[in-house]
Amino acid sequence: MTTRKFFNWKIFIFFLAFLLASCAVLKKERTFSKNGLKVTFRSLNALDDIQGIKFRYPIILTEQQLNNHLLSLWYQNIVSPGKPKPAFSKEDVRTLVPLFKTVLKKVEPGKYLHFEFQSSGGLIEGQVFVTAEKIHWRFLKINNKLYSNDPLRLKKPTWKLVRMPGQAYQKEQTGGFKKYYNNRIIANIDLPYPKQRSQTRPTGKKHSQSSSESAGLQKKLGILQNLLDEGLIDKSEYEKKKEAVLNKHLNIDE
């Protein structure tokens, strides 16, 4: 009788654990969107090839670091390649830097940041996470085009990222063979400003509401900077108010 009760308890505990795991999977992911940028905090279990990687939390990067990284992300068409092009325009980067800085700090242990950005050229989709001294950028789509670089050409190749100084492709060693992922960049956190950005990319008209919201954000940040420059607030208060403005802009609860 005692053995049977013990067995029943084991079944109960098993189903309880299964139920809790199911609830965790079904739990809605936290998603925020503003100015064409949509971010989702997703579980690391959704990523592949992360065995042995030590992730860094919290993810605290300066605006200068993010600016240099975003400006250093370039791509090139595989068929009829032509000249490499920047993934983000300078205008895009000015919008994205403060937003990325804020949301990256919100990434909790066990999570990574999935993002979608509606640029003037089309939808850009990717993933980003940080390790000890590296930042990992994985792009799934650039300007509405999914990444494809099938060596057998069963699928039409589309584009690949172009490495800049301080960047490398993610590689996988299988036996005596190395596989490179040309849509995944691993870069030094302290990346220099890219010389290539002396070029400019034509930008189309953006949605009027998005432009208005972006202008409003820049105005508020400019006012805070002026208050700091004039000594009306100290650096600590400036950072606190700046974070509050960005959180409100992204509808992120403290």
Side-chain angles (χ1 to χ4, degrees):
M1 188 70 176
T2 304
T3 303
R4 185 175 181 180
K5 286 184 177 180
F6 177 73
F7 181 72
N8 289 339
W9 269 107
K10 286 181 68 176
I11 294 177
F12 173 75
I13 293 172
F14 172 78
F15 278 106
L16 181 61
F18 177 78
L19 181 62
L20 291 174
S22 300
C23 291
V25 171
L26 294 174
K27 184 178 179 182
K28 189 176 181 180
E29 296 172 329
R30 295 174 63 202
T31 299
F32 307 100
S33 59
K34 206 71 176 180
N35 287 358
L37 175 67
K38 177 182 177 182
V39 299
T40 307
F41 303 108
R42 295 186 175 176
S43 170
L44 292 176
N45 295 329
L47 296 176
D48 58 1
D49 304 316
I50 59 171
Q51 294 80 8
I53 293 180
K54 293 184 178 180
F55 295 86
R56 169 177 159 181
Y57 302 101
I59 303 174
I60 300 177
L61 300 174
T62 67
E63 291 192 358
Q64 186 61 56
Q65 287 173 326
L66 283 167
N67 182 74
N68 291 356
H69 276 281
L70 292 172
L71 290 175
S72 297
L73 293 167
W74 288 57
Y75 75 101
Q76 186 176 39
N77 293 327
I78 296 174
V79 179
S80 303
K83 292 183 178 180
K85 303 174 184 178
F88 301 103
S89 70
K90 289 184 177 180
E91 184 180 352
D92 291 339
V93 172
R94 282 193 292 270
T95 298
L96 290 172
V97 164
L99 303 182
F100 264 122
K101 180 183 178 183
T102 298
V103 295
L104 283 171
K105 288 197 297 185
K106 304 291 182 182
V107 180
E108 300 173 349
K111 302 284 187 179
Y112 73 93
L113 193 70
H114 180 276
F115 67 89
E116 295 178 10
F117 178 64
Q118 190 63 51
S119 72
S120 57
L123 183 67
I124 300 174
E125 181 181 0
Q127 306 159 339
V128 59
F129 56 88
V130 177
T131 55
E133 297 179 354
K134 304 287 184 180
I135 183 167
H136 296 242
W137 297 94
R138 298 183 173 187
F139 282 79
L140 309 176
K141 186 181 292 186
I142 293 181
N143 293 342
N144 297 327
K145 292 183 179 180
L146 283 168
Y147 170 73
S148 175
N149 191 15
D150 182 4
L152 299 178
R153 296 301 193 258
L154 298 178
K155 291 183 179 180
K156 183 179 179 181
T158 52
W159 51 266
K160 65 178 182 179
L161 295 176
V162 178
R163 291 173 297 177
M164 298 293 175
Q167 297 178 337
Y169 292 130
Q170 180 189 341
K171 64 181 178 181
E172 181 183 81
Q173 184 81 36
T174 305
F177 299 94
K178 290 182 181 179
K179 178 181 179 181
Y180 291 90
Y181 293 89
N182 295 334
N183 65 325
R184 300 179 181 182
I185 286 289
I186 302 175
N188 299 330
I189 288 181
D190 291 319
L191 205 64
Y193 184 89
K195 297 179 180 179
Q196 293 85 350
R197 289 320 294 257
S198 58
Q199 302 177 21
T200 58
R201 187 178 78 172
T203 57
K205 292 184 178 179
K206 290 196 171 184
H207 194 281
S208 58
Q209 181 179 357
S210 175
S211 298
S212 176
E213 290 176 346
S214 179
L217 174 62
Q218 294 297 331
K219 182 178 180 180
K220 291 177 182 178
L221 294 177
I223 291 173
L224 282 177
Q225 184 64 52
N226 289 337
L227 291 175
L228 176 65
D229 294 341
E230 294 174 10
L232 299 176
I233 57 175
D234 58 23
K235 184 67 174 178
S236 175
E237 189 175 2
Y238 165 78
E239 292 293 344
K240 188 182 299 183
K241 290 183 179 295
K242 181 179 178 181
E243 183 173 3
V245 168
L246 291 171
N247 284 344
K248 184 177 180 181
H249 193 68
L250 285 168
N251 296 322
I252 297 178
D253 297 328
E254 292 291 344

